[in-house]
Amino acid sequence: MMSSSGRAGDRRVMADINVTPLVDVMLVLLIIFMVTAPMLTQGVDVNLPQASAKAMRSEEERLIITVDANSRVFLGQQPVEFNRLGGALREIVARRTDRQVFFRADRSVPYGFVVKVIAEVRNSGIEKLGMVTEPLER
């Protein structure tokens, strides 16, 4: 009868880990995230006017009112009819301590409509209204 000690030398522990499948999966995930990341940040496309002012720091999420090229008004990402803008802003202002709003308008929007939106914002109780522009290209 052979003892198990004679075969003990033949048994080896498989300590190698095959990392090829792990690398393949990680590369596929990396490609998927690279393709989907730009789609996650969707917004309202506006062609902002340019100005020679310093860039502002954004410490927290600010309320942004946007008017696109078709004169549609957006509160953040949500479209709002112009005649309901004041009421929506009053509701938002009642819940917030920060009464600062940023305003973006496409450069092709008529000036009169921009003034109407700004007046509606002021009448809703907004204390500070910041204008968003792009820096001048030099």
Side-chain angles (χ1 to χ4, degrees):
M1 178 170 170
M2 285 281 292
S3 68
S4 63
S5 64
R7 293 196 171 239
D10 293 341
R11 290 185 190 164
R12 292 184 212 156
V13 177
M14 286 293 290
D16 295 335
I17 297 175
N18 190 1
V19 295
T20 306
L22 175 68
V23 171
D24 289 343
V25 170
M26 295 306 285
L27 286 174
V28 168
L29 288 174
L30 177 67
I31 291 170
I32 290 171
F33 287 131
M34 287 173 56
V35 169
T36 58
M39 295 179 203
L40 295 177
T41 57
Q42 294 180 350
V44 182
D45 291 333
V46 289
N47 201 2
L48 293 173
Q50 296 180 345
S52 60
K54 293 182 183 177
M56 295 183 308
R57 295 174 296 157
S58 63
E59 300 89 17
E60 62 187 63
E61 187 68 26
R62 304 271 190 205
L63 180 62
I64 299 177
I65 299 171
T66 305
V67 179
D68 68 359
N70 298 324
S71 296
R72 292 180 301 189
V73 181
F74 294 83
L75 269 175
Q77 303 293 328
Q78 301 297 321
V80 176
E81 293 180 25
F82 175 73
N83 56 3
R84 297 186 182 172
L85 178 65
L89 282 172
R90 283 185 203 91
E91 290 177 15
I92 292 172
V93 167
R95 293 185 305 232
R96 295 174 66 123
T97 57
D98 179 24
R99 296 188 175 192
Q100 183 173 8
V101 171
F102 292 108
F103 180 71
R104 316 180 326 155
D106 194 279
R107 68 177 76 181
S108 64
V109 176
Y111 183 69
F113 187 71
V114 171
V115 170
K116 285 181 184 178
V117 173
I118 291 174
E120 195 67 30
V121 170
R122 290 287 186 188
N123 292 337
S124 65
I126 301 295
E127 296 170 357
K128 296 180 182 176
L129 179 66
M131 304 296 283
V132 179
T133 60
E134 288 181 350
L136 283 172
E137 294 177 11
R138 294 181 184 199

